[in-house]
Amino acid sequence: MYKKLYTEFRKSFDFETFKKNSFAIHGFEKTCSYNDFAKAAEYCFHKFKEAGASDVRKIVLKADGKTSYMDYIMPEAWDIEDAKLEILDASLSEEMRLLSDFKKNTLCIGNRSAPTPVDGMDCEVVRWSDYVDKKVDIKNKAVFTTIHPGQMYSAAADAGAVGIISSYSPAAEECPDDTFWLNGMSSPGWYHTKEDKKIFCFSIPPRKGSFFSRFLDEGQAKVRATVKSRIYDGEIFTVTGRIPGKSKEEICLFAHMYEPFIPDDSTGAAIMISMCQAINNLTSEGRIPELQKSIRFVISMERYGFAQYLRNSKNTSKMLCVVNMDSMFHSSRKAGILPELRICPASMPFFSDLMIKDIIEGCNPKLKYTEKKGNLSSDTFGSDKKIGVPTTWLWTPSGKYHHNSNEIFSEPDWDTGFEIVSVIGTYLLFLSTAEKDALRKLGKRLDGIAEKELVSEFIQLKSMLKHKELSVRDSIEKATFLSSIQKDRIISLNNIISSVVDERRTANKFGKYARQFAAKTCDDFPKAIFSKMERKASNIVLKRIGKDMPFSLTKVPYDKRIKHPSDPYMYSLINWMDGKRSLYEIMRFIEFEHGKKYSDSDINELIEYFKYLTKYGYFKMLPKYRLTKSNIIQGLRKLGIKKGDRCILHSSLSSMGEVKGGAETVCLACMEALGNNGVLMMPSFNHYEAVSERGKGFYDPLQTPTTNGAVPDFFWRMKGVFRSLDPSHAVAAWGKNAADYVKNHHNVPTMGYGSPLELLEQADGKVILIDCPDANTFLHVVEMTNDAPCLGKRTEEYNVKLPSGKMVKYRTWGWRNGPCRVFSAQKHYELMRSGKLMKEGEIGGAHVMVFALSDFRKVYEKLLRGNIPGVAGCSGCPRKPRKVAATVPTDWHKHIRKII
Ligand SMILES: [Zn+2]
């Protein structure tokens, strides 16, 4: 299918000219000076013209530390002429004294380093770690660091340091004599803005770093730093041109410029020039079909320059897709690192992933590569939904050798690079020349490949399920997610030419796979039980405002800017935000796509960060659920609650979402759902707060708030609600004969026979747990009526202020003196679920469980009696009622069930 194009492309690509251009562009870029960047741009401008490109344009971008494109603040222009770093110690040989010399190694000076006085600057050097650990003064001194200067630059500059000497290198062990290039050292954003303090920054090879470190150990060290640089308001350029096709719609190639390595990325611009020439030759000689689509070439500054290009909807409206041409020529193979196909992010699936693989298999099966999921990094951020240009990237990653003067990173592997370029060239020629029929055929072919991929993904899921690496629920949700991505990949072909793929047929086909998977796995799978933060995230919906992915944080005042969270998938997360999905749902997508499981602390960090960005206008934060009284009643009905039911409710109001009217609405909804013939009960405990020294020293049923949450605290104050007189664990009740349930509470054991909850059980009562699986108090009734030895029956005595104003002493239970070894909510609910003794559902964002008290008792008594394997029963447990100041001997006769 692609072979002819592949062969023609390779024949017509002038490799020698390409190499020549790569060297020439590198010649301008190797010092990273803006005055030379201008020459590089000018060179490419002319070369594009020579190669026959149309509408070749140079776009001037500001380089002033202030202007922003999207959320990228352009760094100021910078020129470097010379730099040198020497140890001031006559006892050392000249060679040992010299730490860095720009004339020998242009990478020794950090990008955008501040100048020193013309004759250099003599300064003392202290370790950065001594500043951090021992607060050693660094004012007017240089600091020596082995961590990436980006992590300490601002702090060092703010503390008055004049410069940084870094021996940081991720490949320190493998190449101790090579230099790590220090590019951007700012955060947020890569580069410093006008407001940032600038100091000098040298990068020395790790071996020199170790030597210098030993030298520092011996006592005071002084260096002379000389940097002849200039930071100023200048310009930087985008160069673009195109080969017109029949349609104005464009397939684009992006390559960044302005970095000091041949394969990163002088080759990118040079490939484009040669591709342009090759395609023009091929069309003029009639060796390939006529171009249907136009081909656009764009070279600019990485991220920042493309932000300027992509923010313009005039540019993006005709762009169909992008190929990122960055870093195709590293000698990664020397380090055993394979070329990598960066898959388009799941938030913007695109057929190119399947097609590139197909081209490699058909044209050059010897080209081995790995696949990595996309994360909108580097110049693939066009896949941002707000920009909307799917971006493909086949490249040679270099791992820890990145941005290093070692041969793996800086010396081109011409052969591998050309294999990659040939694949991309074929892809480009196919897409730009294909008419409807060819694209339809491609659609069928890719559909088959996607199907195969999905089948193998499902096999993997099944194996994970079998080995319990994945829960039933996770596997079903992931299967749905994966099939939907394959579907969207195929449908994305319609973006190139409309209706070449039948969307309904494709959706049905892939949807069916997911449904079958679910049917075979389990047709009735339990809902998730959330952690606290997951619950919180499931109630937060974020809506992006404007086009800007947060990068330099332009919208935030300079002194309020903070670092981005360390989550490598932050942009992937943001790309899913549509103002409808909850943050939790999106995190699940990241989990399915990248395998990242968010811990509660990760979620907390992200929520705090998104709150911060919301404050500065990047997002709107909305509740996922907005509930009214009738929504809650409907939810209860779905769970089988009907008029006349007698229920105890435990609830977490915040879990439900935003409830119109708050706690009152929840109370009213429950009352309405149960009706006047029903009974509604809620805990009204003060958990010893009121009766102890921490509180007032007495319980007052008319005054004492409950610590059970907002809903119960509203409930006991309502008209027609009766509250019992148990000093620490009162219960409130409303409805038919409500008073009868609570009136005797202070005359019986708190959770024993005759207590409100035990009476509710007698009356066929139910429990409703609105997102508080651990709050089911009834379990203590089962314990007490089974004479669990750990709970004291009426063994503590406290003051109660009666409604008449009279102060009396009433008794409550004695709490156990340590944790219970029998009850585990998780285990218990598993048993309830497997016995189908429980109904579960959702009200708003809350997970709700409903079950009969008597069913709960059945299961719990088995556990208490030690009849469930793996759970030790009550018998032989050393727990006893606690002893506190209020402890008294029991007054309860357990056989006649009366006060003695
Ligand atoms: Zn690059």
Side-chain angles (χ1 to χ4, degrees), residues 256 259 264-265 302 326-327:
H256 78 76
E259 288 189 16
D264 185 19
D265 193 34
E302 190 168 11
D326 190 9
S327 288

Side-chain angles (χ1 to χ4, degrees), residues 813-825:
W813 60 349
W815 187 237
R816 57 174 72 105
N817 64 0
C820 173
R821 71 182 190 185
V822 185
F823 189 74
S824 131

Side-chain angles (χ1 to χ4, degrees), residues 256-257 259 263-265 302 326-327 330 378-379 393 402-403 409:
H256 78 76
M257 300 203 26
E259 288 189 16
D264 185 19
D265 193 34
E302 190 168 11
D326 190 9
S327 288
H330 296 295
S378 302
D379 290 327
W393 192 17
H402 183 67
H403 281 179
F409 191 79

Side-chain angles (χ1 to χ4, degrees), residues 649-686:
L649 174 80
H650 299 275
S651 57
S652 157
L653 179 62
S654 61
S655 301
M656 300 173 80
E658 196 179 80
V659 178
K660 200 178 169 197
E664 180 176 18
T665 301
V666 179
C667 295
L668 291 173
C670 292
M671 288 170 174
E672 205 175 315
L674 300 173
N676 289 332
N677 284 326
V679 173
L680 177 62
M681 207 178 261
M682 289 192 206
S684 210
F685 313 157
N686 64 67

Side-chain angles (χ1 to χ4, degrees), residues 441-508:
K441 260 188 220 156
L442 178 72
K444 288 223 171 78
R445 203 180 155 81
L446 299 186
D447 186 284
I449 300 174
E451 187 175 0
K452 255 193 223 157
E453 231 177 59
L454 188 65
V455 169
S456 85
E457 283 167 339
F458 277 15
I459 290 172
Q460 213 184 339
L461 277 186
K462 278 174 199 154
S463 137
M464 288 173 83
L465 191 62
K466 195 175 150 198
H467 294 102
K468 298 220 157 41
E469 292 157 22
L470 214 58
S471 71
V472 171
R473 168 179 168 263
D474 285 354
S475 72
I476 291 176
E477 287 187 11
K478 188 166 178 180
T480 310
F481 177 82
L482 293 172
S483 69
S484 143
I485 288 168
Q486 297 292 11
K487 173 205 73 180
D488 287 341
R489 275 175 159 178
I490 299 305
I491 290 178
S492 70
L493 266 154
N494 288 346
N495 297 346
I496 307 295
I497 296 178
S498 64
S499 6
V500 290
V501 170
D502 182 338
E503 297 196 4
R504 250 187 54 199
R505 213 200 112 262
T506 311
N508 275 340

Side-chain angles (χ1 to χ4, degrees), residues 65-66 73 76 192-198 557-558 561:
K66 280 191 303 207
I73 301 173
E76 293 158 280
H192 285 129
T193 65
K194 191 129 209 151
E195 288 125 315
D196 287 296
K197 260 188 202 158
K198 283 123 198 161
Y558 174 71
R561 285 179 200 153

